[in-house]
Amino acid sequence: MWVNYLDQALLMAALAVSVNLLVGYAGQVSVAHAAFAGIGGYTIASLAGKHEWPFLLALVAAVLFAAAVGTLIGLIALGLPEEFLILMTMAFSLALIGVFATFESLGGIMGITGISGLSLFGFELDGPRDWLVPCAVTLVLVFAICHRIGESPYGRVLKGVREDVVVTQALGKNAFAYKVGIFAITSGLAGLVGGVYSGWLGQATPSAFSFPLAMTVFAMVIVGGNANLFGSVLAGVALTMIEPALRVGLGVASTDAALVQLVLYGALLVLVMILRPQGLLAERFRHVEVPDVDPVVPARTTPREPAAYDAAEVVLRAEHLSKRYGGIVAAKDISLELRRGTITALVGPNGAGKTTAFNLLTGVAVPDTGSVTLNGRELVGLRPDRIVSAGLVRTFQDVRLLNRLTCLENVMLAVPHQEGERLDALFRPGRGIAQADRAVAEQAMEWLAFVGMAGEANTPVDALSYGQTKMVNIARTLATQADVLLLDEPASGVDSMWLDRMVSLVADTRAAGRTICLVEHNLEVVRELADHTYFMELGEITAAGTVDELTSSARLAEAYFGAQ
C-alpha cells in the first residue's frame, strides 16, 4: 500500500512543480491545470488503453495535445485581468470535466476504466512497484524542465511579468508572448503528469481530474512556497501522505480519512497564510557572481548654448497627438521635438497631461489622432516592447522597481537581445546560456557602477532607500541601450545628496550622446539641465523656450510658476 501512495505522491509533487512555475514564477493564477492533466489522462486511456498505442508514443501525444489546448486557452484568457483569468480557467476546467462525463466515447460518468497491458522500454507496468520508477522519472523530468526555465533569463522575464507587466513591457519584453508560452509549457507538463497518473491508476475518470484536484495542487504550491520548486516537492509528498498516515498510523476508517484530510488541508493553509505566508520554503534571491567593474563615466559638459540645440538633429517628432477618455480630454494636439544629444524638459502643473504624453509616445496608450516618429520610423500602433527595441524607453514617476528581484536582476532584465530569453536556447547542451548570462550580468554591473550602486548588486530592491531606488531605476533604463530616454520626475522626493547625484547622472548621460526628455517639477533641476523646455497645461503644450523665457511670462507664472 505504501508504494502505491508513494507513486501518487511523486505524481502530485510533479503536478505541483509545474503549477508553481506558472503561478510562482510568472504570477498567472490558473485553476485549469487539473483539467490539462485530465487531457493527458484521457489521451493515454484512449490511445494506449483502447487503441493499444505504445505507452511512450501515447505520452508524447498527451503532452502535445495538452500543450496545444493550453496555448489556445492562454491566447483567450491571458489578456484578461487576473480575477477574470481565474474565472476563465475555472470555467474551462468545469466545462472540460462536463465533456469527459457526457460523451460515451470517453466513458461517460464512469470514464475509461480497465487500462492494462502498458509497458515502457520492454518493462511491463502491472503493479505499484512497476510504476515507482516511471513516477520518479516524471517528477525528475518535470522538476528539471521547470528549474531550467525558472532560473534562466527566460525565468527572469517571467518574474518581471509577475511583479509588473507594464514595466516589463516598458523594458522591451513581449509580456503577453511570455505568458502564453509558459501557459502552454506548463499545460504540456500537466498533460505528461496526467498521462502517467491515468496509467498508474488504470483509468481516466471525471472525478480523478475534477476541481478538488486543482485545489489540492494549489494547497501544495502555497504550503511549499511560491517560486520554490523544492518546496512544491516537499509539500506534494507530505500532503499526499496524510491520508495513509491517518489510516495506517491512527487507524482512521477509509471513508473518514479523506474527510479528515480535507480538514487538515484547510487548517494547514490557514496556519501557513497567518504564520508564514511565503510558504515553508520562501523564494530565494539569486546571487550572481560577477567580476568587479570600473564605471566609464563621461566627462561633465557645460550647459549647451541655444544655438547648439537649434543645430541638433531631430530624433523624435510627435505631431498633433490627441487622446480622449470619454468626455475627458487627456491630450490635445500635442506636438514636440526631441533633438539628438540634448535634454528637453516638459513642465506644467499637476494634471497637465505630462505622463499622458509619455504614455502616448511609448505605446502604453494609443492616440486617437497624431503621429510619433523615431529616426523617421512611425511608432503609433507598435507594442510598447517594440518601441523600446526601436530605441525609445521611459521611466515611471513612482519608480516601479521589481521588488522580489535584486538590484542586479532588475538591471539584467533590461539588457536587450539575451540568448537565454528564447525557449529554444534553454535546451541546448553545454554551458552557453550560463556564459551568456554572466556577460549580461557584467553589463548590468557596469550600469550599477555608473550610478554608484555596484555595492548593492545582490540586495533586494525593497531593502533600499528611496534615493537608491531612483539610482537603480536609472541604471535599469540605461541598460536597455535605447538612444532616447523619457525620464518621469527622476529628482522628485529625494534629498540633496541624491539630488546632486541624479543631476550629475542625467548630465553625464547627455554627454554620452543620448537624447533625454525630462518631466520635472523642480525648476532648479530643469534650469541646470534643460536645453529646451515645453510648458503643458490642460492636456496641451502652450509654450516653448528656455526656462528663463517661460518664467518671465506673467500668464505662465500665474498658471504654474507663481505657485512654486
Side-chain angles (χ1 to χ4, degrees):
M1 183 190 76
W2 286 104
V3 174
N4 212 30
Y5 275 106
L6 182 57
D7 291 339
Q8 182 183 12
L10 293 172
L11 293 176
M12 293 299 291
L15 189 56
V17 167
S18 69
V19 172
N20 203 347
L21 181 63
L22 179 69
V23 176
Y25 281 83
Q28 305 305 300
V29 182
S30 164
V31 293
H33 276 58
F36 290 120
I39 290 175
Y42 270 85
T43 301
I44 291 297
S46 178
L47 297 182
K50 296 175 64 175
H51 296 92
E52 299 183 352
W53 280 35
F55 181 55
L56 186 59
L57 182 60
L59 268 182
V60 173
V63 172
L64 296 177
F65 188 24
V69 176
T71 302
L72 179 61
I73 297 300
L75 288 170
I76 297 172
L78 292 173
L80 302 174
E82 182 174 314
E83 59 272 21
F84 292 105
L85 172 61
I86 297 173
L87 292 174
M88 175 71 180
T89 53
M90 182 184 297
F92 165 74
S93 179
L94 295 175
L96 188 63
I97 297 302
V99 170
F100 291 156
T102 299
F103 288 93
E104 289 300 323
S105 59
L106 298 176
I109 193 67
M110 300 302 294
I112 302 175
T113 59
I115 303 172
S116 61
L118 302 181
S119 63
L120 194 61
F121 301 114
F123 294 95
E124 297 297 325
L125 303 173
D126 293 326
R129 294 185 183 276
D130 300 324
W131 281 99
L132 189 59
V133 171
C135 292
V137 170
T138 299
L139 173 58
V140 170
L141 180 62
V142 171
F143 186 95
I145 292 173
C146 292
H147 187 270
R148 174 74 165 171
I149 293 174
E151 300 304 319
S152 70
Y154 190 97
R156 189 163 52 237
V157 179
L158 294 180
K159 292 177 182 178
V161 170
R162 175 193 69 192
E163 297 297 301
D164 195 321
V165 172
V166 174
V167 167
T168 303
Q169 290 177 316
L171 295 175
K173 315 301 179 185
N174 185 349
F176 183 73
Y178 278 92
K179 290 196 290 185
V180 173
I182 202 60
F183 200 89
I185 291 168
T186 55
S187 298
L189 293 176
L192 170 64
V193 176
V196 178
Y197 188 82
S198 278
W200 160 76
L201 200 60
Q203 59 185 6
T205 64
S207 60
F209 301 104
S210 61
F211 194 66
L213 176 62
M215 293 299 97
T216 299
V217 173
F218 253 95
M220 294 171 180
V221 172
I222 293 171
V223 171
N226 276 345
N228 193 310
L229 303 182
F230 290 101
S232 293
V233 173
L234 177 63
V237 173
L239 294 183
T240 303
M241 300 304 285
I242 289 178
E243 183 181 350
L246 290 171
R247 292 173 57 188
V248 177
L250 300 178
V252 179
S254 299
T255 54
D256 296 332
L259 295 177
V260 175
Q261 184 183 34
L262 290 176
V263 173
L264 290 177
Y265 274 9
L268 184 58
L269 281 174
V270 171
L271 288 174
V272 167
M273 296 304 293
I274 293 174
L275 301 178
R276 191 172 173 82
Q278 70 270 34
L280 296 178
L281 299 179
E283 178 180 359
R284 295 178 297 175
F285 285 100
R286 185 183 180 197
H287 289 253
V288 182
E289 298 294 334
V290 293
D292 294 332
V293 295
D294 294 322
V296 180
V297 181
R300 287 290 305 273
T301 56
T302 56
R304 299 171 185 267
E305 297 297 327
Y309 172 84
D310 294 337
E313 173 192 5
V314 175
V315 177
L316 182 143
R317 177 177 282 111
E319 297 180 300
H320 309 298
L321 295 178
S322 297
K323 182 67 176 179
R324 297 177 65 94
Y325 295 98
I328 299 174
V329 179
K332 180 180 178 182
D333 199 34
I334 295 176
S335 297
L336 58 83
E337 294 178 344
L338 304 183
R339 297 176 179 257
R340 189 177 304 280
T342 66
I343 296 176
T344 300
L346 194 58
V347 301
N350 289 330
K354 303 182 292 296
T355 297
T356 298
F358 274 16
N359 290 340
L360 295 174
L361 294 175
T362 57
V364 174
V366 179
D368 298 329
T369 60
S371 170
V372 180
T373 56
L374 178 65
N375 294 318
R377 179 184 179 183
E378 180 61 58
L379 300 184
V380 172
L382 295 182
R383 297 193 313 263
D385 59 288
R386 293 276 186 168
I387 292 176
V388 177
S389 299
L392 175 64
V393 69
R394 57 90 56 88
T395 66
F396 295 87
Q397 180 181 348
D398 50 354
V399 185
R400 296 177 76 164
L401 293 181
L402 309 175
N403 287 336
R404 290 165 66 186
L405 276 67
T406 64
C407 297
L408 183 58
E409 287 179 301
N410 266 268
V411 181
M412 289 176 70
L413 181 63
V415 176
H417 311 306
Q418 298 181 43
E419 184 177 358
E421 290 180 350
R422 301 195 313 271
L423 271 178
D424 63 312
L426 297 178
F427 302 102
R428 296 176 189 168
R431 304 177 63 185
I433 298 300
Q435 293 173 350
D437 207 36
R438 280 195 293 272
V440 170
E442 290 179 4
Q443 292 184 51
M445 282 295 295
E446 290 176 357
W447 291 117
L448 284 173
F450 178 74
V451 301
M453 291 293 294
E456 304 295 338
N458 283 317
T459 301
V461 295
D462 59 1
L464 301 177
S465 69
Y466 187 66
Q468 288 174 316
T469 64
K470 290 276 190 174
M471 296 298 112
V472 175
N473 193 29
I474 291 294
R476 189 176 67 178
T477 305
L478 294 171
T480 62
Q481 300 180 18
D483 290 330
V484 181
L485 313 178
L486 308 182
L487 306 182
D488 198 343
E489 300 194 28
S492 66
V494 298
D495 59 30
S496 58
M497 180 189 74
W498 293 110
L499 179 62
D500 292 341
R501 183 177 295 184
M502 179 63 70
V503 170
S504 176
L505 286 173
V506 174
D508 290 337
T509 301
R510 172 181 58 188
R514 296 203 190 187
T515 303
I516 298 169
C517 183
L518 182 73
V519 166
E520 185 55 60
H521 282 285
N522 188 324
L523 293 184
E524 293 306 315
V525 171
V526 175
R527 182 173 283 106
E528 181 172 353
L529 290 174
D531 300 297
H532 189 72
T533 304
Y534 290 102
F535 183 81
M536 283 195 73
E537 52 185 323
L538 300 176
E540 61 181 321
I541 294 175
T542 57
T546 66
V547 173
D548 291 336
E549 290 171 345
L550 296 180
T551 54
S552 65
S553 167
R555 190 190 68 79
L556 296 182
E558 181 181 356
Y560 174 67
F561 296 109
Q564 299 298 311

